[in-house]
């Protein structure tokens, strides 16, 4: 259980120190003033938590895998930033600069330079990292039971996890998309990528018909994303990868240690080099990393890996460098020749397996795997992801991922229109917002003044909304699935 938050706004009594301080008289209650200030500040706490995020762990040493929570949160923020960058710059014809290799087409911009590009278009890198983290986290408890030779407890654990997984992933998505489409009809909101039906009832039916197919594990054909929430395509992949993990855990649970590790490597090779199952390879990669970490904690690593221990620092710093480089793979389209003609990617382009259609996921598989493997072995980097800032983002990461799109398409689009980023569609549908606060497009690409100023509102609002969705939708949905599973279990037989 998380500790009671103790951010700056959670301290019961906080008073400035004065040089003429005197003990309070018996009739004076400083607590009353503090209570009034707390009530006034309460509505702003979710927003201010971005600057002073409340601790979500008990004081002292963080959990062994706390860095994964922080990494997930930071990755969610990269997705947010990536989508905002492209939303503004694609209509101006500058979108390809962000996702092309540095110098492609004789265009040299800082936002596309190796390493730096991660902080502008690191969304794909972040999603690949999500999948590796999920493979790690989902398999952590089952693998510990496998290593302890507890097959009965393993069966109970996997049964519970698999039962709850669909509900845990899709209930928050159902709630957020339902509220989003309802806002179109309740408030008359216009969004550039929305095509509202004539009535709310028709909208709900269309949403239901599309969602039921989108959320079906074995759905074939149609679009791979939900038109009401384009960014949620990864939720579908997340569920597929979860089923892969649970299936492999059971299939490999009775094998010997080295046999199990060998099968995990073979599965990664199969999913990445034989068939186009890049997402499954990422999940199994996370499972392999978790297996190795658990064995390392018990001093049971294979001998071949133990021999590498003296070079640990050298190896993992280089893996981090490789990860950052590969994480910036050009991703404008699936044409490998375009990548081949990008500076620094010519020879790497020949590593792409025949099985992979969208080449970027092959390079992102290695990038995400190297990243998750290296962070716990690089102390300063691990401490960063264990910081309160990253831990807070980790707590709201799923909600942030779900709400940042609707906020971008509604409030974000209007604020960008006001500062000068708009098209003909905005002139037609939201004319009052056009140039309402026009600002110059001065500054480096991706850091223009007219792009940054809207985030004075957008970033705090998105964080605040993610906090609300986390508290009112995401966390209750987790508790609901746990309650439902327990409720449906057979009652113990009384002898």
């Amino acid at each position: 259980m998380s500790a009671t938050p103790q951010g700056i706004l959670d301290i019961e009594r906080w008073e400035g120190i004065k040089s003429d301080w005197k003990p309070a008289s018996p009739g004076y209650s400083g607590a009353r003033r503090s209570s009034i200030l707390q009530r006034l500040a309460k509505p702003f706490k979710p927003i201010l938590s971005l600057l002073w995020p409340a601790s979500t762990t008990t004081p002292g040493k963080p959990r062994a895998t706390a860095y994964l929570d922080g990494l997930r949160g930071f990755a969610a923020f990269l997705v947010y930033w990536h989508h905002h960058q492209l939303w503004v710059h694609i209509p101006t014809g500058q979108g390809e600069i962000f996702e092309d290799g540095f110098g492609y087409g004789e265009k040299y911009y800082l936002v596309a330079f190796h390493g730096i590009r991660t902080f502008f278009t690191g969304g794909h890198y972040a999603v690949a990292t999500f999948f590796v983290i999920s493979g790690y986290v989902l398999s952590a408890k089952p693998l510990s039971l496998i290593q302890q030779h507890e097959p009965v407890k393993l069966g109970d654990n996997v049964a519970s996890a698999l039962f709850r997984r669909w509900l845990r992933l899709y209930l928050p998505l159902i709630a957020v998309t339902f509220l989003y489409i309802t806002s179109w009809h309740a408030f008359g909101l216009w969004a550039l990528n929305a095509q509202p039906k004539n009535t709310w009832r028709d909208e709900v039916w269309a949403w239901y018909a599309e969602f039921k197919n989108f959320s079906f594990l074995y759905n074939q054909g149609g679009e791979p994303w939900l038109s009401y929430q384009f960014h949620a395509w990864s939720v579908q992949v997340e569920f597929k990868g979860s089923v892969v993990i649970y299936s492999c855990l059971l299939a490999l649970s009775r094998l010997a240690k080295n046999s199990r590790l060998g099968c995990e490597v073979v599965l990664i090779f199969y999913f990445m080099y034989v068939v186009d199952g890049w997402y499954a390879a990422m999940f199994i990669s996370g499972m392999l990393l978790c297996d190795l970490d658990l064995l390392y904690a018990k001093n049971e690593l294979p001998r071949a890996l133990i021999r590498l221990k003296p070079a640990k620092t050298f190896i993992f710093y280089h893996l981090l460098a490789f990860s950052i480089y590969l994480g910036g793979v050009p991703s404008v389209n699936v044409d490998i020749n375009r990548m081949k003609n990008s500076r620094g990617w010519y020879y790497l382009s020949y590593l792409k397996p025949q099985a992979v259609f969208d080449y970027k996921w092959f390079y992102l598989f290695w990038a995400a795997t190297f990243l998750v493997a290296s962070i716990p072995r690089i102390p300063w980097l691990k401490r960063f992801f264990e910081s309160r800032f990253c831990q807070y983002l980790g707590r709201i990461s799923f909600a942030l991922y779900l709400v940042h799109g609707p906020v971008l398409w509604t409030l974000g689009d209007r604020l960008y229109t006001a500062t000068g980023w708009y098209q003909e569609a905005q002139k037609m549908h939201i004319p009052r917002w056009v140039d309402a606060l026009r600002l110059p497009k001065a500054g480096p690409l991706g850091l223009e003044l007219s792009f940054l100023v809207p985030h004075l509102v957008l970033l705090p609002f998105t964080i605040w909304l993610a906090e609300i969705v986390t508290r009112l939708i995401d966390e209750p949905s987790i508790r609901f699935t746990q309650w439902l599973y327990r409720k449906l279990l057979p009652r113990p037989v009384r002898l």
Side-chain angles (χ1 to χ4, degrees):
M1 297 292 290
S2 300
T4 304
Q6 286 296 318
I8 192 170
L9 296 178
D10 299 300
I11 299 173
E12 291 185 3
R13 295 190 62 178
W14 182 79
E15 299 174 356
I17 300 176
K18 300 179 181 179
S19 58
D20 58 345
W21 176 86
K22 296 179 180 180
S25 61
Y28 172 78
S29 175
R32 176 176 296 180
R33 288 188 180 181
S34 178
S35 177
I36 294 174
L37 291 174
Q38 281 189 336
R39 286 197 295 269
L40 292 175
K42 190 174 182 179
F44 302 98
K45 287 173 67 176
I47 299 177
L48 294 176
S49 63
L50 175 63
L51 299 177
W52 297 287
S55 175
T56 57
T57 59
T58 54
K61 189 176 181 180
R63 294 179 296 104
T65 57
Y67 70 93
L68 291 176
D69 296 331
L71 177 58
R72 184 191 296 112
F74 193 77
F77 176 76
L78 289 181
V79 172
Y80 161 91
W81 197 246
H82 184 169
H83 287 151
H84 277 267
Q85 291 284 357
L86 295 186
W87 180 266
V88 165
H89 292 101
I90 285 180
T92 64
Q94 298 172 305
E96 292 186 353
I97 296 174
F98 286 80
E99 298 201 317
D100 263 325
F102 178 73
Y104 184 86
E106 301 301 319
K107 297 177 181 177
Y108 302 93
Y109 289 87
L110 189 63
V111 294
F113 192 73
H114 308 290
I116 295 176
R117 62 187 293 122
T118 298
F119 298 100
F120 291 89
T121 52
H124 302 307
Y125 187 16
V127 169
T129 303
F130 288 154
F131 295 154
V132 175
I133 291 175
S134 291
Y136 191 111
V137 173
L138 293 178
S139 58
K141 181 62 175 180
L143 280 173
S144 67
L145 295 173
I146 289 173
Q147 294 181 11
Q148 295 166 12
H149 307 289
E150 296 277 6
V152 176
K153 292 182 179 180
L154 170 67
D156 292 341
N157 181 271
V158 173
S160 172
L162 185 55
F163 176 90
R164 293 179 283 114
R165 193 59 175 165
W166 190 98
L167 295 170
R168 190 271 172 274
L169 290 173
Y170 283 110
L171 284 181
L173 179 59
I174 289 172
V176 170
T177 52
F178 178 78
L179 292 173
Y180 179 50
I181 65 171
T182 299
S183 70
W184 298 349
H185 297 271
F187 306 112
L189 285 180
W190 173 85
L192 182 63
N193 56 5
Q195 297 178 340
K197 303 299 183 288
N198 292 329
T199 66
W200 179 77
R201 171 181 267 182
D202 292 341
E203 197 74 65
V204 172
W205 176 255
W207 166 74
Y208 160 76
E210 184 177 343
F211 184 86
K212 67 181 178 66
N213 294 327
F214 170 80
S215 61
F216 178 46
L217 176 63
Y218 302 107
N219 183 36
Q220 296 180 351
E223 298 292 349
W225 52 75
L226 190 65
S227 66
Y228 294 99
Q229 173 57 290
F230 295 104
H231 304 152
W233 66 270
S234 62
V235 175
Q236 182 190 65
V237 176
E238 183 79 29
F239 184 59
K240 290 180 178 179
S242 301
V243 173
V244 170
I245 285 292
Y246 296 137
S247 302
C248 291
L249 284 167
L250 291 178
L252 306 180
S253 62
R254 300 302 181 101
L255 302 186
K257 177 186 70 176
N258 289 342
S259 298
R260 183 179 67 249
L261 294 174
C263 286
E264 290 167 4
V265 173
V266 169
L267 283 170
I268 291 173
F269 180 85
Y270 172 76
F271 285 127
M272 185 56 73
Y273 288 89
V274 180
V275 297
D276 193 5
W278 56 267
Y279 65 89
M282 292 176 183
F283 274 81
I284 298 298
S285 174
M287 175 180 170
L288 175 61
L289 293 176
C290 181
D291 207 348
L292 292 172
D293 281 348
L294 291 174
L295 291 172
Y296 174 78
K298 300 192 298 182
N299 295 316
E300 295 181 4
L301 279 176
R303 292 181 180 178
L305 296 178
I306 294 176
R307 293 193 186 102
L308 299 175
K309 187 174 181 179
K312 181 177 71 172
T313 301
F314 175 85
I315 290 172
F316 287 108
Y317 268 96
H318 280 75
L319 287 183
L320 177 62
F322 293 150
S323 172
I324 294 172
Y325 190 93
L326 294 175
V329 59
S331 56
V332 171
N333 53 37
V334 297
D335 183 7
I336 191 66
N337 291 318
R338 186 159 185 157
M339 175 190 176
K340 192 176 295 184
N341 293 326
S342 300
R343 295 170 183 263
W345 292 96
Y346 177 80
Y347 293 106
L348 288 172
S349 68
Y350 287 100
L351 298 179
K352 184 196 85 71
Q354 177 275 332
V356 177
F357 173 71
D358 190 345
Y359 66 83
K360 70 173 176 285
W361 297 114
F362 168 72
Y363 300 95
L364 292 172
F365 159 78
W366 291 108
T369 299
F370 291 163
L371 181 65
V372 175
S374 61
I375 288 176
R377 281 87 186 177
I378 301 177
W380 63 266
L381 189 57
K382 184 182 180 184
R383 285 195 299 271
F384 170 74
F385 289 114
E386 290 174 343
S387 66
R388 294 172 62 194
F389 171 74
C390 288
Q391 291 296 299
Y392 176 76
L393 289 179
R395 188 177 72 82
I396 65 169
S397 59
F398 190 37
L400 176 60
Y401 191 84
L402 293 179
V403 305
H404 83 275
V407 173
L408 168 60
W409 303 326
T410 52
L411 177 62
D413 189 36
R414 284 158 175 78
L415 293 179
Y416 289 135
T417 298
T419 58
W421 303 89
Y422 54 83
Q423 307 172 63
E424 289 300 321
Q426 282 84 355
K427 290 182 180 180
M428 181 182 301
H429 294 281
I430 49 174
R432 293 183 180 179
W433 290 86
V434 175
D435 290 332
L437 184 63
R438 187 171 183 84
L439 296 172
K441 293 182 173 64
L445 181 65
L447 295 173
E448 301 92 340
L449 180 64
S450 54
F451 171 75
L452 294 178
V453 167
H455 286 278
L456 296 176
V457 175
L458 284 175
L459 183 56
F461 181 78
T462 305
I463 294 292
W464 172 79
L465 188 59
E467 173 75 24
I468 297 301
V469 170
T470 298
R471 293 186 183 187
L472 301 185
I473 297 176
D474 189 29
E475 291 175 347
S477 71
I478 295 173
R479 293 193 293 269
F480 169 75
T481 58
Q482 294 170 340
W483 169 85
L484 181 63
Y485 183 73
R486 290 194 300 267
K487 194 72 174 177
L488 297 179
L489 289 175
R491 296 182 179 179
V493 178
R494 296 181 179 179
L495 300 177

